[in-house]
Amino acid sequence: MTAYPDWLIAELRSDHAGETGAVMIYRGILALCRDAELRRFAERHMATEQGHLRLLEEVLPPARRSRLLPLWRVAGWLTGAIPALFGPRAVYATIDSVESFVDHHYQQQLDRLDAEAIFPELRAMLAKCQEEEVHHRDEARERHGGVVGAVLRGWGALVGWGSEAAVAAARRL
Ligand SMILES: [Fe+2]
Ligand SMILES: [Fe+2]
């Protein structure tokens, strides 16, 4: 495996934690949701997230992964299961919030790699993941119709805040 600088290892640790959580979001949705269309959406997205997780596993050795992975799994599962209790619109709005966050998260890493002009292969891999996250976001947004009420906006803000906190923790632990 390539020897990456510490800042980049910390970023990859947060990516790996995030993709672990992403797979679990869809497990949480699939555990509780009966809507056939949403189940197909979740199964398709979960396969993509498992692909992302495998890519991150290839570049981040086990010893450098987050020590809080069990926590990210539970948090991810709840992030999918809670809105699933309220129906497809709540789930699509949640995925929109999560993926909007993930888009920016990957973008700041791409910006730094570009600024330092390093690791073009890794950059391409992260850009590919980001592109697929943006696609997930757009698909979810189209399905919830773009306009959500105050409760879902509040939940979306909470999810964004939680993601921010999780990334900050996963960079360190
Ligand atoms: Fe992903
Ligand atoms: Fe995603």
Side-chain angles (χ1 to χ4, degrees):
M1 287 188 193
T2 319
Y4 295 121
D6 285 347
W7 73 265
L8 188 50
I9 290 284
E11 291 296 331
L12 292 173
R13 186 182 302 120
S14 72
D15 296 348
H16 177 268
E19 298 296 352
T20 300
V23 171
M24 292 305 290
I25 287 177
Y26 292 108
R27 285 202 199 290
I29 293 167
L30 288 166
L32 296 184
C33 134
R34 297 281 158 265
D35 182 88
E37 192 189 330
L38 176 52
R39 289 189 70 85
R40 279 195 298 276
F41 168 99
E43 277 159 10
R44 219 162 12 84
H45 283 216
M46 186 165 75
T48 312
E49 303 299 1
Q50 282 164 332
H52 295 170
L53 181 57
R54 273 193 295 276
L55 289 173
L56 266 307
E57 282 170 351
E58 280 170 25
V59 294
L60 190 69
R64 311 305 300 271
R65 293 174 194 166
S66 175
R67 279 179 280 153
L68 303 177
L69 283 176
L71 178 62
W72 309 137
R73 289 197 186 95
V74 173
W77 193 88
L78 289 172
T79 304
I82 291 170
L85 292 173
F86 295 89
R89 257 178 75 78
V91 172
Y92 294 131
T94 304
I95 299 303
D96 184 356
S97 299
V98 170
E99 299 290 20
S100 299
F101 173 84
V102 177
D103 173 28
H104 294 123
H105 175 72
Y106 277 124
Q107 188 57 50
Q108 50 91 22
Q109 297 175 358
L110 298 178
D111 289 345
R112 181 147 181 201
L113 290 170
D114 287 342
E116 305 196 14
I118 51 174
F119 307 117
E121 269 179 38
L122 182 71
R123 191 219 182 268
M125 185 200 101
L126 296 175
K128 169 91 169 32
C129 291
Q130 180 196 37
E131 191 189 311
E132 292 177 340
E133 313 295 12
V134 168
H135 184 71
H136 284 175
R137 181 202 67 195
D138 291 345
E139 220 186 317
R141 192 167 294 179
E142 197 184 295
R143 286 170 190 230
H144 73 62
V147 188
V148 295
V151 175
L152 274 182
R153 273 206 309 281
W155 165 250
L158 182 68
V159 166
W161 177 84
S163 305
E164 195 82 58
V167 162
R171 279 190 183 121
R172 295 155 154 271
L173 288 170

